[in-house]
Amino acid sequence: MDRRSPQAPSLSIPPSRRNLRWASGLVLMAYVTAHLLNHSLGIVSFAAAETVLRGVQVFWHSLPGTLLLYSAAAVHLALAVAALWERRTLRMPALEGLRIVLGFALPLLMAAHLTAMRGAYQAYGVEGSYARVVWGLWSPPGAAAQLTMMLAAWTHGCLGMHFALRARPGYRRFSHLLLAFAVVLPLTAAMGFVSMGREFQWTGVPPAVAPTAAQGRALDAAESGIKFFYAFGLAALLVAFGMRNWLARRSHGSSVTLRYPGRTVQVPRGWSVLEASRSHGIDHLSVCGGRARCSTCRVRVRGPADHIGEPGRDEQRTLERVRAPGDVRLACQLRPHGDIEVTPLFAPPPNGGRPAPVSSFGREREVAILFVDLRRWSGLSERQWPFDLAYVLDRYFATVGAAVRESGGVPNQFIGDSVMAIFGLETDLPTACRQALRATELIGERMDAWSESFEAQFGQRLDFGMGLHAGRAAVGEVGYLDTTTFTAIGEVVNTASRLQDHSKAAASRLVVSLFAAQQAGLAHAAEQVDTLVVRGRSEPLSVICSQPATTPL
């Protein structure tokens, strides 16, 4: 499949579901934020809050403001219903579930406020006033209902914004400030509500136009009707949702088989791959909540084209943005029509990625230290999204780590784009050096095998450098309190790191010390030995530099 760079959207193309959700959510979030800020002015005085409220009502009560607000609410609710209906399972992370529950609960929580404020204005011309609202709710049950409604609306909006933006660098850079704002604003709004109520107790309630008794009964009846019909519709949706899924599970011949690495599962037709993973306890990352934004749930897919289908607009845009190859799809959007094979590209590594236990802790011994560094990482970081970089690092660390383990070493540090590995924790030094050289060969072969697809996907060559040295080091746990790391410490570590740095200047894939090569018994195969001044060492070091595409010895 040819995925070209996305073109400018045509005005004749209707907005995608993702854009509608985003736009309607922003309108509603702006409305809630303005309300909470307005409530917060009650800390200053009732007069200040009421003056701003009158100005805000001019816009929201106008025809453009009314159409904007209620269209956004209707679109947002309709998209939420459609998204719930498309689900085949309710298994999801807790925060995502909380967002959905709060969203569907909001119409019930807001029915009283909607009829008392907007309903009274539309039906009887009664303007909303803080005097009428605050004093009317000035009781523990009324205040609790008001504060619960505010908190539910604000929390739902904040979670939606968080899921949509948390992959963006700008959002993460200011996330601590945004979190502080998200916590403080509802608190100041509650304080403003309480302050106005206390002010009324001390100075008396200002005069305000209120509905008559008959009008109040009519508004109460409207509130009850809204709650009843909404609750009935929501219950009908959930019953239909459950029945549809129950029939799908019992229907013979309507299931599809998904073959994961090392596991095969069967799910009813119509399930997304992400839903299948969650239902069967398969680790599968998804940052944006299944809305085709973050691309972290992407999978490599194999199978007949008619079983896979074509990506929709939102999915296609995300795949184009990350320059995904034709065999990659988003698990949250892919609903297979038949049996396929899928490989999650962001699945956590086995055992949490931790090195296997080693018995030789806490003492000095002769070891070989290998450093591997991914080249031109800064340039790649400027052009790619953070989770695309995470995908690169995840595969890079897995490639290097597997090669080190297969050769008998322990990959013990993953820092930035560099990997440090230790050889010789359970062997003598000559064996450790031979194992380390074998690891460099495996790393070179596997990185070369990855290079072609890497260049096609990220637009630059895959390049790396390695440094290898051997000597005495202290190995054991270092750190503070519960935050400790198993590592090696000593001159050999510093020198191996410097040799890896020198591989850039030498245009070499590997720079290995002559001592390590001699220990491995392979120094006789070296064509040229260079003398290198290494920072931190008093004596120059003899080294062997490999050619870019060959093994050193």
Side-chain angles (χ1 to χ4, degrees):
M1 183 184 302
D2 182 19
R3 295 198 175 109
R4 303 183 185 276
S5 300
Q7 302 296 319
S10 170
L11 295 178
S12 63
I13 300 177
S16 67
R17 181 186 299 188
R18 186 173 70 185
N19 289 341
L20 286 173
R21 183 188 295 113
W22 181 242
S24 60
L26 284 179
V27 171
L28 297 176
M29 192 63 177
Y31 181 79
V32 173
T33 303
H35 256 55
L36 295 185
L37 288 171
N38 205 159
H39 294 349
S40 300
L41 286 175
I43 298 174
V44 179
S45 68
F46 157 74
E50 186 73 8
T51 300
V52 173
L53 177 63
R54 294 301 178 195
V56 171
Q57 284 178 336
V58 170
F59 172 71
W60 291 117
H61 285 177
S62 67
L63 180 60
T66 298
L67 290 176
L68 179 65
L69 178 61
Y70 288 95
S71 296
V75 167
H76 210 65
L77 180 59
L79 292 176
V81 170
L84 178 63
W85 180 252
E86 288 174 350
R87 287 180 175 271
R88 297 302 190 269
T89 173
L90 295 180
R91 290 179 179 267
M92 66 188 78
L95 282 180
E96 187 179 337
L98 176 62
R99 177 182 65 84
I100 293 175
V101 169
L102 290 177
F104 280 106
L106 276 176
L108 292 174
L109 295 174
M110 297 182 66
H113 185 76
L114 179 65
T115 54
M117 300 299 289
R118 192 56 184 256
Y121 172 77
Q122 292 294 135
Y124 308 115
V126 178
E127 290 279 0
S129 166
Y130 275 122
R132 181 163 68 90
V133 174
V134 173
W135 195 246
L137 296 173
W138 193 247
S139 66
Q146 172 74 3
L147 297 178
T148 299
M149 179 188 67
M150 289 194 310
L151 188 60
W154 182 246
T155 303
H156 172 75
C158 288
L159 287 175
M161 297 286 287
H162 174 68
F163 287 136
L165 297 176
R166 61 179 172 176
R168 296 179 178 267
Y171 174 79
R172 295 203 313 276
R173 189 179 305 118
F174 297 104
S175 60
H176 58 292
L177 297 177
L178 295 173
L179 176 61
F181 179 76
V183 172
V184 169
L185 183 57
L187 292 177
T188 58
M191 292 169 61
F193 177 87
V194 173
S195 295
M196 285 187 283
R198 298 285 290 179
E199 183 178 341
F200 297 159
Q201 286 182 317
W202 295 334
T203 63
V205 182
V209 177
T212 65
Q215 292 171 347
R217 288 191 295 272
L219 292 173
D220 289 341
E223 174 193 341
S224 299
I226 291 173
K227 288 182 176 180
F228 173 78
F229 284 109
Y230 178 78
F232 178 81
L234 183 58
L237 174 65
L238 293 175
V239 170
F241 175 88
M243 287 296 296
R244 188 268 313 273
N245 291 351
W246 181 76
L247 291 173
R249 288 187 177 93
R250 292 181 60 87
S251 177
H252 297 290
S254 65
S255 63
V256 298
T257 300
L258 303 181
R259 292 186 296 276
Y260 292 81
R263 187 172 178 187
T264 299
V265 301
Q266 282 193 330
V267 295
R269 194 182 306 274
W271 282 43
S272 71
V273 173
L274 182 60
E275 289 171 334
S277 298
R278 288 175 172 175
S279 294
H280 289 84
I282 298 172
D283 289 330
H284 208 142
L285 185 63
S286 176
V287 170
C288 71
R291 292 181 286 181
R293 285 187 178 275
C294 65
S295 81
T296 56
C297 67
R298 70 180 81 162
V299 292
R300 181 171 291 107
V301 186
R302 294 181 180 176
D306 58 332
H307 289 187
I308 299 172
E310 293 294 326
R313 286 180 58 197
D314 290 337
E315 182 183 4
Q316 182 68 29
R317 288 171 55 193
T318 300
L319 293 172
E320 289 172 342
R321 189 194 74 229
V322 301
R323 302 182 67 181
D327 62 346
V328 170
R329 294 287 300 274
L330 300 185
C332 65
Q333 304 298 308
L334 174 58
R335 298 181 183 275
H337 306 299
D339 301 347
I340 60 172
E341 179 180 340
V342 295
T343 303
L345 299 181
F346 280 86
N351 302 320
R354 297 183 178 181
V358 181
S359 60
S360 305
F361 281 179
R363 63 191 182 99
E364 287 190 3
R365 62 178 297 112
E366 300 284 341
V367 295
I369 301 295
L370 174 66
F371 271 87
V372 187
D373 181 73
L374 197 60
R375 298 288 188 245
R376 294 185 291 177
W377 178 251
S378 298
L380 188 65
S381 300
E382 291 178 356
R383 298 193 305 273
Q384 301 297 330
W385 280 47
F387 274 96
D388 300 330
L389 303 177
Y391 160 64
V392 173
L393 285 181
D394 185 66
R395 182 164 178 182
Y396 163 63
F397 289 155
T399 300
V400 174
V404 168
R405 286 192 178 282
E406 291 176 23
S407 302
V410 174
N412 76 301
Q413 288 190 27
F414 300 87
I415 304 173
D417 57 347
S418 296
V419 180
M420 171 182 163
I422 306 174
F423 297 82
L425 293 172
E426 297 179 325
T427 63
D428 58 17
L429 187 58
T431 302
C433 292
R434 288 193 293 271
Q435 291 175 340
L437 288 173
R438 173 56 181 162
T440 66
E441 295 177 4
L442 291 178
I443 292 170
E445 293 170 0
R446 295 173 185 183
M447 295 288 278
D448 287 341
W450 181 23
S451 181
E452 183 176 350
S453 61
F454 181 90
E455 185 173 4
Q457 186 170 357
F458 294 97
Q460 71 176 50
R461 290 175 55 82
L462 181 64
D463 200 7
F464 61 98
M466 297 178 284
L468 174 61
H469 188 42
R472 180 166 290 273
V475 293
E477 297 281 344
V478 295
Y480 179 68
L481 296 179
D482 294 333
T483 307
T484 61
T485 302
F486 174 75
T487 190
I489 301 174
E491 175 273 332
V492 62
V493 178
N494 175 72
T495 300
S497 176
R498 302 299 181 198
L499 296 183
Q500 176 274 124
D501 288 338
H502 181 67
S503 69
K504 301 176 186 177
S508 300
R509 176 163 288 184
L510 170 66
V511 177
V512 57
S513 68
L514 181 61
F515 175 74
Q518 289 172 339
Q519 290 294 314
L522 298 174
H524 62 277
E527 296 180 0
Q528 182 178 355
V529 177
D530 298 324
T531 300
L532 179 66
V533 177
V534 178
R535 185 156 53 99
R537 281 180 58 96
S538 58
E539 298 287 338
L541 183 68
S542 297
V543 298
I544 303 169
C545 301
S546 74
Q547 296 302 315
T550 62
T551 54
L553 302 169

